[in-house]
Amino acid sequence: MDENNKFDVVGTNIAEKATMIWNVADMLRGPFKPHEYGLVILPMTVVKRFHDCLLPTHKAVLEQYEKVKNFAVIDGFLAKASGYQFYNISKYTFESLLADPENIEANFRDYLNGFSANVQDVLAKFDFDNIIRRTLTMLSVSGCMIVTQEKYVFSSIRES
């Protein structure tokens, strides 16, 4: 691939991601003011990136967790199984979360709580728990979370 084609591909990829993020921002209109959109978009982008990295080894991590869950220290085993310095032991993926819209809040919280401590630290810095609560409270249904997650599920944030 020559240099001009690389720039075209990267430019297209960036434009697609920007369009997806603006579509999510449109859904947030109402519950959030425009200057607050990043409170949802940025953490969801980070969570989706973690999800995409961990998805290929998700099953292996869950199997390893079952073997070591009673050990005093399990992080090393699970990080090795994930192939990263972080992991998630929740049974949920974005796809399985969407399959149960009635329980989206509890299941999404379970998913987030399944991350390793280092990812928990990142999520705490975003104050994401309060953002989830605020989103769901303001909408009185979990529709925004579902729609937002669908945008992230079907519009991958992965770098090409």
Side-chain angles (χ1 to χ4, degrees), residues 16-159:
E16 288 172 359
K17 290 176 184 174
T19 299
M20 185 271 304
I21 288 171
W22 281 113
N23 288 338
V24 171
D26 286 342
M27 290 181 298
L28 298 173
R29 192 170 294 140
F32 292 89
K33 295 176 181 136
H35 71 278
E36 297 175 312
Y37 294 169
L39 296 175
V40 176
I41 293 173
L42 185 57
M44 282 298 293
T45 301
V46 171
V47 169
K48 175 61 172 151
R49 181 68 177 135
F50 286 143
H51 173 271
D52 287 351
C53 290
L54 296 174
L55 192 58
T57 59
H58 184 246
K59 188 178 243 179
V61 170
L62 293 179
E63 290 169 0
Q64 185 65 21
Y65 177 68
E66 285 304 314
K67 294 176 188 174
V68 301
K69 66 183 175 185
N70 294 321
F71 290 8
V73 179
I74 62 174
D75 284 344
F77 296 105
L78 299 175
K80 185 175 181 180
S82 78
Y84 293 96
Q85 303 247 335
F86 56 93
Y87 56 86
N88 189 316
I89 56 171
S90 172
K91 66 181 180 180
Y92 296 104
T93 64
F94 270 38
E95 291 79 8
S96 64
L97 287 168
L98 294 172
D100 186 10
E102 298 298 317
N103 298 303
I104 190 75
E105 181 179 6
N107 295 347
F108 188 57
R109 288 182 188 284
D110 179 83
Y111 174 76
L112 294 175
N113 290 333
F115 278 112
S116 53
N118 51 355
V119 173
Q120 294 294 331
D121 289 343
V122 171
L123 297 176
K125 299 263 190 270
F126 285 123
D127 196 24
F128 200 39
D129 186 59
N130 286 327
I131 297 303
I132 294 167
R133 185 178 306 110
R134 179 176 167 197
T135 303
L136 297 177
T137 299
M138 292 180 99
L139 293 176
S140 73
V141 294
S142 54
C144 182
M145 188 62 68
I146 292 168
V147 172
T148 302
Q149 283 186 338
E150 284 175 347
K151 288 287 185 188
Y152 282 95
V153 168
F154 299 116
S155 301
S156 181
I157 304 295
R158 287 187 212 160
E159 295 176 19

